[in-house]
Amino acid sequence: MAQRPEEITNLLQDALHSQHEVAIDTIDRSCLKGRVVDIKAGKVKPYNERGVITVATGRGAKRIQAYAISQIKYN
């Protein structure tokens, strides 16, 4: 079950400040595990949903669009 966009944004902000490791499930059924390094807001409305999230994984930094995130869990 997917989480609401507001809940996803709040969890991303919390993970960025606390540097906890997270597992991010995307709409294309892939999973990223790592730490949230950066959140860049989008240039058009809605800014939060159009942002780019950078996640530091074991294989390097990965970027993902915020609207492509379906669920976030803390590890």
Side-chain angles (χ1 to χ4, degrees):
M1 184 166 72
Q3 294 171 328
R4 294 182 325 219
E6 298 85 19
E7 187 178 356
I8 289 173
T9 303
N10 291 338
L11 287 171
L12 285 171
Q13 291 288 338
D14 186 43
L16 177 65
H17 294 301
S18 65
Q19 290 298 308
H20 285 294
E21 220 170 276
V22 294
I24 299 175
D25 295 331
T26 62
I27 56 176
D28 62 350
R29 305 223 192 273
S30 66
C31 183
L32 295 173
K33 293 182 180 178
R35 300 189 195 293
V36 177
V37 177
D38 188 27
I39 299 174
K40 292 187 180 178
K43 297 188 187 282
V44 294
K45 289 184 180 180
Y47 301 109
N48 290 338
E49 294 177 23
R50 305 270 178 143
V52 177
I53 314 303
T54 306
V55 180
T57 64
R59 294 183 154 191
K62 307 288 183 186
R63 289 181 298 189
I64 185 169
Q65 297 287 331
Y67 65 81
I69 297 173
S70 62
Q71 190 171 18
I72 297 178
K73 299 173 281 212
Y74 285 112
N75 283 345

